[in-house]
Amino acid sequence: MAAASRRQLVERGGGMRMNQTLRPRDHVRGEIVGYVDLDLLHGPREVPVEPDRWYILRVHPHLQLNVMRTFRQRNISAWLPMQTETRSVARYNRGYEKVLTQQVRSPLICGAILVPDFEVKFGRFYAVDGVIDVMRVGPCVPVLKGQDVIDLRNIEAIGNTPKSKRERKFELGELVRVTSGPFAYFCGQVERFDSTGRLSVGISMFGRVTQISIDESDLELAPRPRSRNSSSGSGQGFRRIPSR
């Protein structure tokens, strides 16, 4: 930088003059000015391995994933059950419609996150955007205990298992009865399993066997018809005496 430019910079006040004095600082290096509660900032260092109970935390439904992301950043213990579902999405390109099938993970419980009892004691989740409050039913506070949590984890595991790999309730050739829908109370045999978890059942209508595709939840085991030999009053135990 030329001498004229430096002179103009000093005259404008852009640099420090030689006779300028520094203001005294409030603190010096190495001085203790305060303490930070790490347990309040990052959570307790030691927590129980298995909490005694879980509370239901109400959050905004469209902010559940954002709340869980903030919980992980702030080291707040919580559990959001998730499920995998298949959705059909329509795409349009130059006037043609194309339906795509994709796997989407979504919360199993809409608008709720489960938090353990020790987190409710600290209450650090109230400072997170999207959190409403702990669920209350009048003066009572519903909680989940050991067996309830185990059942919910089993439901989550079933929801994340593809329908084609889930345990079947019925077997091939088994006699079933339709419980709902337009074919309610019709009986038939299981003939085929679908890759989407549905079953093909052959029912008799108008003198012919017709296959229908139906879900397992709409079926139940049909009682076996009694045989004529097993009916009461058939004369078992008696011997006919030939006439002379």
Side-chain angles (χ1 to χ4, degrees):
M1 184 180 295
S5 301
R6 289 198 301 268
R7 188 180 305 108
Q8 293 177 1
L9 183 61
V10 172
E11 290 177 356
R12 292 175 184 176
M16 179 180 297
R17 295 184 174 88
M18 298 297 295
N19 57 355
Q20 184 177 357
T21 59
L22 298 176
R23 294 182 302 171
R25 296 185 177 180
D26 297 336
H27 306 285
V28 297
R29 181 177 299 179
E31 184 181 0
I32 299 177
V33 296
Y35 296 92
V36 178
D37 190 357
L38 296 180
D39 292 344
L40 185 61
L41 184 63
H42 300 292
R45 297 182 181 180
E46 297 181 0
V47 296
V49 178
E50 187 68 24
D52 296 333
R53 60 189 63 185
W54 291 77
Y55 290 82
I56 304 174
L57 184 64
R58 295 174 53 222
V59 298
H60 293 285
H62 62 285
L63 295 178
Q64 284 181 272
L65 299 179
N66 294 340
V67 170
M68 286 299 299
R69 188 181 304 110
T70 307
F71 281 179
R72 287 190 292 267
Q73 294 174 357
R74 301 186 184 183
N75 197 20
I76 299 177
S77 300
W79 174 36
L80 178 61
M82 302 289 291
Q83 64 176 351
T84 304
E85 56 183 355
T86 304
R87 294 181 182 178
S88 299
V89 181
R91 304 295 185 187
Y92 297 91
N93 185 14
R94 297 181 180 179
Y96 293 94
E97 180 182 3
K98 184 178 182 181
V99 180
L100 302 177
T101 303
Q102 58 184 3
Q103 301 289 332
V104 180
R105 287 182 57 83
S106 60
L108 184 62
I109 307 175
C110 183
I113 294 177
L114 302 180
V115 292
D117 48 5
F118 55 85
E119 287 293 351
V120 176
K121 178 181 178 182
F122 286 101
R124 296 181 299 132
F125 49 78
Y126 287 110
V128 178
D129 294 336
V131 174
I132 301 175
D133 196 1
V134 177
M135 179 178 291
R136 301 178 185 275
V137 182
C140 303
V141 179
V143 296
L144 299 180
K145 294 189 177 181
Q147 188 60 40
D148 301 329
V149 176
I150 294 175
D151 296 340
L152 186 57
R153 292 188 185 276
N154 293 335
I155 295 175
E156 182 185 18
I158 294 174
N160 292 320
T161 303
K163 292 184 177 181
S164 59
K165 297 182 180 180
R166 295 178 185 176
E167 185 179 358
R168 299 289 185 180
K169 296 172 55 178
F170 309 101
E171 298 179 358
L172 290 176
E174 200 166 16
L175 186 63
V176 294
R177 180 170 55 190
V178 183
T179 59
S180 62
F183 302 102
Y185 305 108
F186 278 86
C187 296
Q189 288 186 342
V190 179
E191 298 184 354
R192 188 171 61 89
F193 294 114
D194 196 355
S195 60
T196 60
R198 299 175 65 87
L199 287 76
S200 293
V201 180
I203 60 176
S204 178
M205 291 190 306
F206 307 109
R208 57 180 297 182
V209 178
T210 305
Q211 287 190 1
I212 60 172
S213 179
I214 194 169
D215 198 1
E216 286 185 348
S217 60
D218 297 330
L219 296 175
E220 67 178 4
L221 288 176
R224 291 285 181 178
R226 294 183 179 181
S227 60
R228 296 180 179 179
N229 297 330
S230 61
S231 61
S232 59
S234 59
Q236 292 184 359
F238 297 91
R239 183 169 54 89
R240 184 179 181 183
I241 302 176
S243 58
R244 295 181 179 179

